[in-house]
Amino acid sequence: MMSEYEDAVKKYTYNPETGVVFSKLRRRGVAKMGMLLGKPRRAYQIAFLLMEGYIPETIDHKDGNRDNCKWSNLRAATRKQQSANTTKAGVYRWPSGVYYYQLMVDGKRYYETGFSTWDAANAAHKAKCLELQGDFAVQLRDE
């Protein structure tokens, strides 16, 4: 019986520099979705399979853009890590003009208030995200 990896090698090629998955079977070439052993797979799953030989539980796009399938942008992740990179928490302003941040991690709410500027609250927010979520913190991306 053919493995999913063998099916992928037979049907697709992947350019890790550009992030493009090419179909060997279609004229148009570029594949956003594909079928492997009868299962629908997204381009980033095919790319990961061709590079690593398996499809992890979740594939995280470091920049949050699911269309960016460059190898340098993909990493294996748990669902918890993936949610850290997809859930935006933010900086807000009280009616009094004081800024605060808040975020939720593992069902626990974190917040801090008393900042005089948005930039100060945002810097503290990013630091807390990094502390709690590490490299998967969405706030590490430049928005």
Side-chain angles (χ1 to χ4, degrees):
M1 182 172 175
M2 183 183 307
S3 72
E4 196 168 33
Y5 174 77
E6 291 168 328
D7 195 24
V9 168
K10 179 178 159 187
K11 295 177 180 176
Y12 302 98
T13 61
Y14 171 64
N15 182 327
E17 301 289 317
T18 64
V20 177
V21 174
F22 295 96
S23 171
K24 294 178 180 178
L25 307 177
R26 295 186 346 211
R27 279 185 163 177
R28 199 173 56 157
V30 177
K32 293 276 187 188
M33 293 279 299
M35 296 293 282
L36 295 176
L37 298 180
K39 291 182 182 176
R41 295 294 190 185
R42 297 192 179 276
Y44 57 84
Q45 292 173 313
I46 296 168
F48 204 97
L49 178 62
L50 289 171
M51 293 297 288
E52 294 292 325
Y54 75 102
I55 298 174
E57 172 188 8
T58 305
I59 298 171
D60 181 59
H61 293 75
K62 294 176 188 177
D63 68 359
N65 178 358
R66 291 178 69 173
D67 291 331
N68 180 358
C69 295
K70 292 178 184 174
W71 185 242
S72 61
N73 190 47
L74 301 178
R75 60 184 168 186
T78 64
R79 292 191 198 289
K80 180 180 171 182
Q81 290 168 326
Q82 174 68 12
S83 69
N85 195 16
T86 57
T87 305
K88 289 188 179 182
V91 174
Y92 307 94
R93 185 173 176 234
W94 293 109
S96 66
V98 174
Y99 290 88
Y100 69 100
Y101 74 79
Q102 71 176 15
L103 69 147
M104 294 281 286
V105 176
D106 294 333
K108 184 175 178 184
R109 183 173 159 241
Y110 295 87
Y111 71 96
E112 188 175 347
T113 190
F115 300 97
S116 59
T117 66
W118 184 91
D119 288 335
N122 190 50
H125 180 235
K126 285 185 176 188
K128 190 65 165 179
C129 288
L130 183 58
E131 173 192 328
L132 297 172
Q133 300 168 325
D135 291 340
F136 285 88
V138 69
Q139 289 72 20
L140 297 179
R141 296 196 310 253
D142 294 325
E143 297 294 327

